[in-house]
Amino acid sequence: MVKKTRGTPRREASLSREQIVDASIALLDSGGEGGLTFRALSERLATGPGALYWHVADKRDLLTAACDAIVARTLHAPSADATPEAALRALALGMFDAIDAHPWMGSALTRGAGQAPMLRIVERLGQQVRALGVADAEQWAAVSALLHYILGVAGQNAANAQFARARGIDRAEFLDAMANVWSGLDPNNYPFTRSLAGTLRTHDDRADFLAGVDLILRGLGSQQGS
């Protein structure tokens, strides 16, 4: 009599940590943090929980490893002839695009200040800030400003996009409706906001993000000449 097998077929080849991390990223992208469970991961990899625990301690470890893998892929070493400003702009845009593609990263990174993904970002920012010639006493403030701006704006942009997708909101229609509200504001009480109605209707989030990075870099540059 042939014995019937039940459940998910087990993977015969040994799993690597990289395979587990890649599968975790796929689950996070499709279902957010709630979609990453050891059960779902076991089913996706056709293995048992024991094989997973051999490589990762818990869900927090999985989340950190997933973030770290994406950050490591994103923070390419700058070319030898790249200026510190160009390297910082590329780093910032890389993180903006990474968080846009993996929205769960925004909150995961901010909760792991002392973990490998954040340390990678801080180190890369610090190297370029130092290369700019920022005084030692000002380097922490410069790195902190860049770090909080990059993660804050990128995280909020990703959260907004998720919210819109979940509710079927069309970005152009939403901005047009908001611009109409702004244009109807009392010009005496809201002269500045009212004047931006047209800009709000057509603005580009990625371009606005980079403009903010450039403002910070110009501020750092002005300190150099003072």
Side-chain angles (χ1 to χ4, degrees):
M1 181 176 180
V2 178
K3 185 178 180 180
K4 295 181 179 180
T5 58
R6 294 185 301 171
T8 303
R10 299 296 178 91
R11 179 190 294 271
E12 295 182 1
S14 60
L15 283 172
S16 68
R17 182 177 172 89
E18 182 179 6
Q19 288 174 309
I20 294 171
V21 169
D22 286 343
S24 298
I25 292 171
L27 288 172
L28 286 161
D29 288 347
S30 61
E33 286 192 35
L36 178 61
T37 66
F38 273 76
R39 179 177 180 179
L41 192 57
S42 296
E43 292 176 352
R44 188 178 189 92
L45 292 170
T47 191
L52 302 178
Y53 283 114
W54 181 262
H55 294 279
V56 291
D58 50 31
K59 180 174 177 177
R60 182 179 179 182
D61 188 22
L62 270 176
L63 196 58
T64 299
C67 278
D68 195 42
I70 295 171
V71 169
R73 297 167 193 169
T74 302
L75 301 186
H76 303 298
S79 61
D81 58 350
T83 65
E85 292 88 350
L88 285 167
R89 291 173 95 252
L91 184 158
L93 276 179
M95 288 305 305
F96 182 89
D97 291 339
I99 294 174
D100 185 56
H102 311 281
W104 51 270
M105 283 183 64
S107 59
L109 282 170
T110 55
R111 294 198 306 269
Q115 296 173 340
M118 285 289 280
L119 294 177
R120 288 184 191 273
I121 300 170
V122 169
E123 179 62 28
R124 185 59 60 82
L125 288 172
Q127 289 178 10
Q128 299 307 320
V129 164
R130 182 171 289 174
L132 279 172
V134 176
D136 290 352
E138 304 297 330
Q139 287 175 10
W140 167 248
V143 170
S144 181
L146 284 164
L147 179 68
H148 286 89
Y149 176 79
I150 292 169
L151 296 186
V153 176
Q156 186 60 57
N157 176 76
N160 290 343
Q162 271 194 312
F163 179 87
R165 281 194 295 269
R167 288 158 179 77
I169 298 173
D170 179 80
R171 180 180 184 276
E173 292 178 0
F174 176 80
L175 290 179
D176 186 62
M178 185 177 291
N180 288 336
V181 172
W182 284 22
S183 63
L185 292 171
D186 187 325
N188 294 316
N189 293 328
Y190 301 97
F192 176 75
T193 305
R194 192 172 187 271
S195 71
L196 291 180
T199 302
L200 175 67
R201 184 177 279 110
T202 60
H203 82 280
D204 180 88
D205 295 321
R206 198 169 184 267
D208 289 348
F209 169 78
L210 188 56
V213 173
D214 288 339
L215 282 173
I216 296 174
L217 293 179
R218 283 201 294 271
L220 294 177
S222 68
Q223 286 186 340
Q224 302 305 104
S226 60

PDB file of all heavy atoms in Angstrom, residues 140-158:
ATOM      1  N   TRP A 140      27.591  65.418  12.610  1.00  0.00           N
ATOM      2  CA  TRP A 140      26.425  64.690  13.110  1.00  0.00           C
ATOM      3  C   TRP A 140      25.131  65.390  12.728  1.00  0.00           C
ATOM      4  O   TRP A 140      24.167  64.750  12.290  1.00  0.00           O
ATOM      5  CB  TRP A 140      26.495  64.497  14.615  1.00  0.00           C
ATOM      6  CG  TRP A 140      25.172  64.046  15.183  1.00  0.00           C
ATOM      7  CD1 TRP A 140      24.342  64.739  16.004  1.00  0.00           C
ATOM      8  CD2 TRP A 140      24.511  62.802  14.913  1.00  0.00           C
ATOM      9  NE1 TRP A 140      23.199  64.010  16.269  1.00  0.00           N
ATOM     10  CE2 TRP A 140      23.279  62.816  15.611  1.00  0.00           C
ATOM     11  CE3 TRP A 140      24.836  61.683  14.150  1.00  0.00           C
ATOM     12  CZ2 TRP A 140      22.382  61.761  15.574  1.00  0.00           C
ATOM     13  CZ3 TRP A 140      23.936  60.617  14.112  1.00  0.00           C
ATOM     14  CH2 TRP A 140      22.727  60.670  14.817  1.00  0.00           C
ATOM     15  N   ALA A 141      25.104  66.706  12.870  1.00  0.00           N
ATOM     16  CA  ALA A 141      23.890  67.457  12.520  1.00  0.00           C
ATOM     17  C   ALA A 141      23.584  67.314  11.030  1.00  0.00           C
ATOM     18  O   ALA A 141      22.419  67.179  10.631  1.00  0.00           O
ATOM     19  CB  ALA A 141      24.058  68.926  12.893  1.00  0.00           C
ATOM     20  N   ALA A 142      24.631  67.331  10.201  1.00  0.00           N
ATOM     21  CA  ALA A 142      24.430  67.209   8.759  1.00  0.00           C
ATOM     22  C   ALA A 142      23.895  65.825   8.393  1.00  0.00           C
ATOM     23  O   ALA A 142      22.933  65.692   7.624  1.00  0.00           O
ATOM     24  CB  ALA A 142      25.747  67.475   8.031  1.00  0.00           C
ATOM     25  N   VAL A 143      24.508  64.789   8.959  1.00  0.00           N
ATOM     26  CA  VAL A 143      24.054  63.422   8.676  1.00  0.00           C
ATOM     27  C   VAL A 143      22.641  63.210   9.201  1.00  0.00           C
ATOM     28  O   VAL A 143      21.798  62.603   8.536  1.00  0.00           O
ATOM     29  CB  VAL A 143      25.031  62.396   9.292  1.00  0.00           C
ATOM     30  CG1 VAL A 143      24.447  60.987   9.217  1.00  0.00           C
ATOM     31  CG2 VAL A 143      26.370  62.435   8.573  1.00  0.00           C
ATOM     32  N   SER A 144      22.378  63.715  10.392  1.00  0.00           N
ATOM     33  CA  SER A 144      21.051  63.556  10.989  1.00  0.00           C
ATOM     34  C   SER A 144      19.979  64.234  10.135  1.00  0.00           C
ATOM     35  O   SER A 144      18.900  63.682   9.917  1.00  0.00           O
ATOM     36  CB  SER A 144      21.053  64.147  12.405  1.00  0.00           C
ATOM     37  OG  SER A 144      19.790  63.984  13.017  1.00  0.00           O
ATOM     38  N   ALA A 145      20.277  65.439   9.644  1.00  0.00           N
ATOM     39  CA  ALA A 145      19.314  66.154   8.809  1.00  0.00           C
ATOM     40  C   ALA A 145      19.024  65.378   7.521  1.00  0.00           C
ATOM     41  O   ALA A 145      17.863  65.224   7.120  1.00  0.00           O
ATOM     42  CB  ALA A 145      19.842  67.549   8.476  1.00  0.00           C
ATOM     43  N   LEU A 146      20.074  64.897   6.886  1.00  0.00           N
ATOM     44  CA  LEU A 146      19.889  64.126   5.652  1.00  0.00           C
ATOM     45  C   LEU A 146      19.138  62.822   5.913  1.00  0.00           C
ATOM     46  O   LEU A 146      18.216  62.460   5.176  1.00  0.00           O
ATOM     47  CB  LEU A 146      21.250  63.823   5.021  1.00  0.00           C
ATOM     48  CG  LEU A 146      21.931  64.986   4.302  1.00  0.00           C
ATOM     49  CD1 LEU A 146      23.411  64.686   4.072  1.00  0.00           C
ATOM     50  CD2 LEU A 146      21.231  65.270   2.972  1.00  0.00           C
ATOM     51  N   LEU A 147      19.530  62.125   6.977  1.00  0.00           N
ATOM     52  CA  LEU A 147      18.908  60.836   7.297  1.00  0.00           C
ATOM     53  C   LEU A 147      17.417  60.992   7.566  1.00  0.00           C
ATOM     54  O   LEU A 147      16.591  60.256   7.009  1.00  0.00           O
ATOM     55  CB  LEU A 147      19.602  60.229   8.510  1.00  0.00           C
ATOM     56  CG  LEU A 147      19.050  58.876   8.995  1.00  0.00           C
ATOM     57  CD1 LEU A 147      19.350  57.791   7.980  1.00  0.00           C
ATOM     58  CD2 LEU A 147      19.648  58.514  10.353  1.00  0.00           C
ATOM     59  N   HIS A 148      17.066  61.943   8.415  1.00  0.00           N
ATOM     60  CA  HIS A 148      15.657  62.117   8.762  1.00  0.00           C
ATOM     61  C   HIS A 148      14.841  62.625   7.578  1.00  0.00           C
ATOM     62  O   HIS A 148      13.672  62.244   7.413  1.00  0.00           O
ATOM     63  CB  HIS A 148      15.525  63.069   9.955  1.00  0.00           C
ATOM     64  CG  HIS A 148      15.920  62.440  11.259  1.00  0.00           C
ATOM     65  ND1 HIS A 148      17.205  62.458  11.728  1.00  0.00           N
ATOM     66  CD2 HIS A 148      15.201  61.741  12.173  1.00  0.00           C
ATOM     67  CE1 HIS A 148      17.266  61.809  12.885  1.00  0.00           C
ATOM     68  NE2 HIS A 148      16.067  61.367  13.164  1.00  0.00           N
ATOM     69  N   TYR A 149      15.451  63.459   6.762  1.00  0.00           N
ATOM     70  CA  TYR A 149      14.735  63.932   5.576  1.00  0.00           C
ATOM     71  C   TYR A 149      14.475  62.777   4.613  1.00  0.00           C
ATOM     72  O   TYR A 149      13.351  62.575   4.142  1.00  0.00           O
ATOM     73  CB  TYR A 149      15.514  65.038   4.866  1.00  0.00           C
ATOM     74  CG  TYR A 149      14.844  65.486   3.590  1.00  0.00           C
ATOM     75  CD1 TYR A 149      13.761  66.362   3.618  1.00  0.00           C
ATOM     76  CD2 TYR A 149      15.253  64.995   2.351  1.00  0.00           C
ATOM     77  CE1 TYR A 149      13.112  66.742   2.453  1.00  0.00           C
ATOM     78  CE2 TYR A 149      14.615  65.363   1.182  1.00  0.00           C
ATOM     79  CZ  TYR A 149      13.545  66.246   1.244  1.00  0.00           C
ATOM     80  OH  TYR A 149      12.892  66.604   0.085  1.00  0.00           O
ATOM     81  N   ILE A 150      15.511  61.993   4.311  1.00  0.00           N
ATOM     82  CA  ILE A 150      15.384  60.898   3.349  1.00  0.00           C
ATOM     83  C   ILE A 150      14.345  59.889   3.816  1.00  0.00           C
ATOM     84  O   ILE A 150      13.414  59.541   3.076  1.00  0.00           O
ATOM     85  CB  ILE A 150      16.743  60.217   3.128  1.00  0.00           C
ATOM     86  CG1 ILE A 150      17.701  61.165   2.405  1.00  0.00           C
ATOM     87  CG2 ILE A 150      16.573  58.924   2.318  1.00  0.00           C
ATOM     88  CD1 ILE A 150      19.142  60.684   2.381  1.00  0.00           C
ATOM     89  N   LEU A 151      14.491  59.404   5.050  1.00  0.00           N
ATOM     90  CA  LEU A 151      13.576  58.370   5.536  1.00  0.00           C
ATOM     91  C   LEU A 151      12.169  58.920   5.770  1.00  0.00           C
ATOM     92  O   LEU A 151      11.177  58.238   5.511  1.00  0.00           O
ATOM     93  CB  LEU A 151      14.118  57.747   6.821  1.00  0.00           C
ATOM     94  CG  LEU A 151      15.447  56.996   6.695  1.00  0.00           C
ATOM     95  CD1 LEU A 151      15.791  56.307   8.007  1.00  0.00           C
ATOM     96  CD2 LEU A 151      15.414  55.988   5.564  1.00  0.00           C
ATOM     97  N   GLY A 152      12.089  60.155   6.266  1.00  0.00           N
ATOM     98  CA  GLY A 152      10.776  60.739   6.548  1.00  0.00           C
ATOM     99  C   GLY A 152       9.964  60.977   5.290  1.00  0.00           C
ATOM    100  O   GLY A 152       8.804  60.552   5.193  1.00  0.00           O
ATOM    101  N   VAL A 153      10.559  61.641   4.307  1.00  0.00           N
ATOM    102  CA  VAL A 153       9.830  61.956   3.080  1.00  0.00           C
ATOM    103  C   VAL A 153       9.570  60.695   2.253  1.00  0.00           C
ATOM    104  O   VAL A 153       8.464  60.488   1.748  1.00  0.00           O
ATOM    105  CB  VAL A 153      10.598  63.000   2.245  1.00  0.00           C
ATOM    106  CG1 VAL A 153       9.890  63.257   0.916  1.00  0.00           C
ATOM    107  CG2 VAL A 153      10.730  64.301   3.025  1.00  0.00           C
ATOM    108  N   ALA A 154      10.589  59.838   2.126  1.00  0.00           N
ATOM    109  CA  ALA A 154      10.400  58.607   1.353  1.00  0.00           C
ATOM    110  C   ALA A 154       9.345  57.717   2.004  1.00  0.00           C
ATOM    111  O   ALA A 154       8.501  57.124   1.322  1.00  0.00           O
ATOM    112  CB  ALA A 154      11.721  57.859   1.226  1.00  0.00           C
ATOM    113  N   GLY A 155       9.389  57.613   3.330  1.00  0.00           N
ATOM    114  CA  GLY A 155       8.416  56.789   4.033  1.00  0.00           C
ATOM    115  C   GLY A 155       7.004  57.319   3.892  1.00  0.00           C
ATOM    116  O   GLY A 155       6.055  56.546   3.685  1.00  0.00           O
ATOM    117  N   GLN A 156       6.841  58.638   3.990  1.00  0.00           N
ATOM    118  CA  GLN A 156       5.509  59.222   3.860  1.00  0.00           C
ATOM    119  C   GLN A 156       4.981  59.085   2.438  1.00  0.00           C
ATOM    120  O   GLN A 156       3.794  58.811   2.218  1.00  0.00           O
ATOM    121  CB  GLN A 156       5.540  60.702   4.258  1.00  0.00           C
ATOM    122  CG  GLN A 156       4.164  61.361   4.305  1.00  0.00           C
ATOM    123  CD  GLN A 156       3.248  60.685   5.310  1.00  0.00           C
ATOM    124  OE1 GLN A 156       3.582  60.592   6.484  1.00  0.00           O
ATOM    125  NE2 GLN A 156       2.099  60.207   4.852  1.00  0.00           N
ATOM    126  N   ASN A 157       5.863  59.258   1.458  1.00  0.00           N
ATOM    127  CA  ASN A 157       5.452  59.104   0.063  1.00  0.00           C
ATOM    128  C   ASN A 157       4.961  57.683  -0.194  1.00  0.00           C
ATOM    129  O   ASN A 157       3.935  57.468  -0.847  1.00  0.00           O
ATOM    130  CB  ASN A 157       6.628  59.425  -0.856  1.00  0.00           C
ATOM    131  CG  ASN A 157       6.302  59.184  -2.309  1.00  0.00           C
ATOM    132  OD1 ASN A 157       5.605  59.965  -2.942  1.00  0.00           O
ATOM    133  ND2 ASN A 157       6.820  58.103  -2.877  1.00  0.00           N
ATOM    134  N   ALA A 158       5.700  56.694   0.334  1.00  0.00           N
ATOM    135  CA  ALA A 158       5.301  55.296   0.148  1.00  0.00           C
ATOM    136  C   ALA A 158       3.983  55.002   0.856  1.00  0.00           C
ATOM    137  O   ALA A 158       3.127  54.278   0.330  1.00  0.00           O
ATOM    138  CB  ALA A 158       6.398  54.368   0.659  1.00  0.00           C
TER     139      ALA A 158
END
